[in-house]
Amino acid sequence: MNFSLLLTSLLLPAQALALSLSFIGPCDKEPLFETSQELSKEENVGVITTQVLENNDIEFVGSELGLNSAFGTPMGTEAYEIISKSEMYAYGWCYSVNGFEPALYPNEIAVKQDDKILWWFGYAHYKEGEWISQCEPSYKRKPDFLCAQ
């Protein structure tokens, strides 16, 4: 390697890697909130999420195990959209890490520098006695009870 090229690469500041965290709300695919932070040690999705929400004074109900509500979203029976006797949508918060949706609680998923955590308000669709989908982004449906202005 050329000495000047080696010297230049050693003198350039190292690119700081940071974990990113985004929240997509119920009615628009644009994030309600985004941030990034450097990690001093390995953490999990649940810890990082609750710390970020608390540190930024964002209203939420939940814990390291998951989010029941954030940014004023409904929860419990208020988060159900009943279509008929045999069909409904149940809404809540879903997450992914680097595009992967784990079937585990957030406190069970370790994250590291440069990971991307995405939370979105989504729905599960129940029809004719079966759950036919889960964690679909609710902004794709924009249900009136969430998005009517």
Side-chain angles (χ1 to χ4, degrees):
M1 178 182 265
N2 179 317
F3 179 72
S4 62
L5 182 59
L6 174 63
L7 186 57
T8 302
S9 65
L10 291 174
L11 293 176
L12 287 175
Q15 176 100 9
L17 299 177
L19 175 130
S20 70
L21 182 66
S22 300
F23 294 87
I24 306 291
C27 304
D28 192 342
K29 67 179 177 179
E30 294 302 314
L32 295 170
F33 180 78
E34 295 182 293
T35 190
S36 62
Q37 68 182 53
E38 292 186 36
L39 296 178
S40 58
K41 61 180 182 168
E42 187 176 276
E43 281 292 359
N44 65 62
V45 172
V47 167
I48 293 297
T49 299
T50 56
Q51 284 176 353
V52 163
L53 292 169
E54 288 169 357
N55 292 344
N56 289 280
D57 295 321
I58 296 170
E59 173 191 355
F60 77 99
V61 177
S63 70
E64 296 172 11
L65 295 173
L67 292 177
N68 300 93
S69 176
F71 304 92
T73 54
M75 61 183 177
T77 57
E78 298 296 314
Y80 294 159
E81 181 184 14
I82 308 299
I83 306 302
S84 70
K85 290 181 180 180
S86 62
E87 184 176 16
M88 74 172 222
Y89 295 93
Y91 293 83
W93 286 94
C94 303
Y95 77 97
S96 67
V97 177
N98 301 325
F100 173 71
E101 296 176 41
L104 297 170
Y105 291 111
N107 67 318
E108 298 178 280
I109 302 297
V111 290
K112 58 191 177 315
Q113 293 288 13
D114 209 31
D115 280 348
K116 293 177 183 5
I117 301 170
L118 174 65
W119 284 91
W120 67 95
F121 199 68
Y123 66 87
H125 187 186
Y126 179 85
K127 188 172 183 177
E128 308 288 329
E130 291 185 45
W131 290 101
I132 57 176
S133 71
Q134 67 179 15
C135 283
E136 295 293 325
S138 65
Y139 67 79
K140 290 182 176 181
R141 295 195 66 246
K142 295 185 182 184
D144 286 342
F145 86 103
L146 292 170
C147 304
Q149 294 181 4

